[in-house]
């Protein structure tokens, strides 16, 4: 791996670990949601975890393209992740609030990685982060609207 890619790979591995935790959090919300919004949120959380699975794959592949090694064990993820685990949430409002908190966290992460990628003229990573920033900003708006 080129030295200039080291920081980007480290940040992408952090993102990968956080996204794996996010994915499992979403699975838990999908399985455990209850109440009048069950049908809507059960389906929405499934959409979210399917999207998260795709993002995980894109992150790992980008790490490989940069010459790095993606984290790939649950032990790696739990040791590296900064995103918190969401457990035993079954009510709509706290479930959606937890997803909103995660989206805000990821928006900040994407901006950090975009900055590093820009400094290293890494157009591939920068483009990926730019796409995810736009998507995440929309998700934040939608989640905030739901909670209003």
């Amino acid at each position: 791996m080129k030295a200039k890619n080291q920081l980007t790979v480290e940040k992408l591995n952090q993102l990968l670990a956080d996204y794996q935790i996010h994915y499992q959090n979403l699975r838990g919300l999908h399985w455990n949601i209850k109440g009048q919004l069950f049908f809507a949120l059960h389906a929405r959380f499934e959409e979210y975890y399917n999207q998260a699975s795709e993002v995980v794959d894109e992150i790992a592949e980008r790490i490989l393209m940069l010459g790095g090694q993606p984290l790939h064990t649950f032990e790696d993820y739990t040791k590296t992740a900064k995103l918190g685990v969401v457990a035993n949430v079954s009510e709509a409002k706290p479930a959606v609030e937890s997803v909103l908190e995660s989206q805000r966290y990821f928006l900040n992460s994407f901006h950090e990685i975009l900055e590093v990628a820009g400094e290293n003229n890494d157009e591939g990573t920068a483009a990926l982060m730019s796409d995810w920033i736009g998507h995440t900003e929309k998700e934040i708006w939608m989640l905030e609207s739901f909670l209003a």
Side-chain angles (χ1 to χ4, degrees):
M1 173 175 42
K2 294 179 183 176
K4 75 173 192 164
N5 293 338
Q6 183 65 38
L7 183 56
T8 304
V9 167
E10 288 172 13
K11 290 197 170 286
L12 286 171
N13 263 320
Q14 176 69 57
L15 183 62
L16 179 61
D18 288 327
Y19 243 91
Q20 288 286 30
I21 298 300
H22 179 59
Y23 171 82
Q24 196 57 46
N25 287 345
L26 292 167
R27 295 296 304 241
L29 294 172
H30 169 77
W31 293 328
N32 293 306
I33 196 70
K34 291 183 169 80
Q36 293 180 338
L37 294 172
F38 170 81
F39 290 107
L41 290 178
H42 183 75
R44 188 65 173 152
F45 293 145
E46 184 173 3
E47 289 174 28
Y48 280 154
Y49 73 67
N50 285 331
Q51 291 170 357
S53 177
E54 291 176 19
V55 170
V56 162
D57 196 52
E58 289 186 62
I59 296 166
E61 289 174 350
R62 188 68 199 155
I63 291 167
L64 290 165
M65 285 181 240
L66 294 172
Q69 176 69 42
L71 300 177
H72 55 276
T73 68
F74 284 110
E75 182 181 15
D76 288 339
Y77 302 145
T78 56
K79 284 195 312 193
T80 304
K82 294 179 184 172
L83 190 70
V85 170
V86 175
N88 302 317
V89 175
S90 60
E91 294 178 19
K93 186 176 182 201
V96 173
E97 287 171 340
S98 73
V99 175
L100 176 58
E101 183 180 324
S102 295
Q103 292 300 323
R104 288 177 176 153
Y105 173 83
F106 287 125
L107 184 60
N108 288 332
S109 296
F110 298 151
H111 279 289
E112 287 177 15
I113 296 168
L114 177 63
E115 184 177 333
V116 171
E119 290 168 359
N120 291 311
N121 297 315
D122 177 0
E123 293 296 324
T125 302
L128 197 57
M129 293 305 117
S130 291
D131 288 347
W132 291 345
I133 287 168
H135 175 78
T136 303
E137 287 173 341
K138 184 174 181 179
E139 288 299 327
I140 289 169
W141 165 69
M142 290 169 56
L143 291 164
E144 287 174 340
S145 294
F146 178 90
L147 291 169

